[in-house]
Amino acid sequence: MSQAEAIGQARQWLAAAQSIAVLTGAGVSAESGVPTFRDALTGHWANFRPEELASEAGFRAQPQRVWDWYASRRDELKAVQPNAGHHALAQFQQRHPGRLTLITQNVDGLHQKAGSPGVLALHGDIHATRWLDGFPGGCSRANQADEVCDVSAASPGRPPRCETCGNLLRPSVVWFGEMLPIAELEAAQQAADHCDVMLVVGTSGVVYPAAGLAHQAREAGARVLVLNPAASDLDEIAHLLLRATAATGLPALLDGL
Ligand code: OAD
């Protein structure tokens, strides 16, 4: 089947689907100028060791280095805009409220910036911060609920620190070895279980449990579409492989539906 035929077939399935789940990864933001993780040369993990920059142990070992890395990524994102792929998804969601569940591994906020409602951000939000230690809203040395420290009152520093208890702020992203946010993961699993089409865009499909959502959808009977200019670990479960970039492939799939 040619790529044009594959796009045509995919559009038919999408048009007929009552429920669509979309799982995106770093590739959906590549054409906005955001580096991916595993692309050779340009990916973050081609240049840095994930266990140093994306784990609690790495942060505790070198808090300033890790804080500064996330701060520089946040700064780079200030000038970044959603691309035609983010917009095609957001516009489809606006035309068909409730029909498409958008699940992302990205922490860059670009789907939200494009206007997508209800994005399930499985790996957190790079623009948000939280305490390193302690329960949500609390902190390491607070023993009672009324002893909570306010993250907005953290004193400046790299990383900022609570003046009362000494707790450090950390980026509110999911690091290796950490749990995904439970409400988002459950909602994503529901969508995977009930969708007619699972569209996977711009992910290498090597990080679980996110990649498991595509398997889950396939096992539950959904058609699986993989949109990626290169091979990925999820190709083997795809009913259709769409070899295009996100900014060209997503409008080709969704515009006019
Ligand atoms: P990866 O860097 O692993 O994969 C990026 C994918 O995007 C690759 O399959 C590329 O072929 C594809 N790609 C590149 N350019 C593209 C384009 N213009 N359009 C579409 N696809 C393109 O990124 P993820 O799969 O997102 O985890 O990585 C998963 C997780 O690993 C990330 O969320 C992050 C990382 O460690 C956390 O931060 C917890």
Side-chain angles (χ1 to χ4, degrees), residues 24-31 35-39 43 45 50 54 70 73 105-107 123 173-176 201-207 227-232 244-247:
T24 67
V28 82
S29 298
E31 287 152 287
T36 64
F37 292 91
R38 294 177 184 78
D39 280 296
W45 300 156
Y70 284 92
R73 283 176 61 198
Q105 298 166 84
N106 299 344
V107 297
H123 292 166
V173 298
V174 175
W175 281 331
F176 288 100
V201 188
T203 179
S204 55
V206 300
V207 172
L227 171 61
N228 196 314
S232 82
T245 70

Side-chain angles (χ1 to χ4, degrees), residues 20 28 33 52 68 89 99 102 142 153 155 167 172 187 191 221 230 247 253 257:
I20 299 166
V28 82
E52 288 179 7
D68 285 354
L89 285 166
R99 197 164 145 209
L102 182 49
S155 54
N167 205 347
S172 193
L253 284 175
L257 292 186

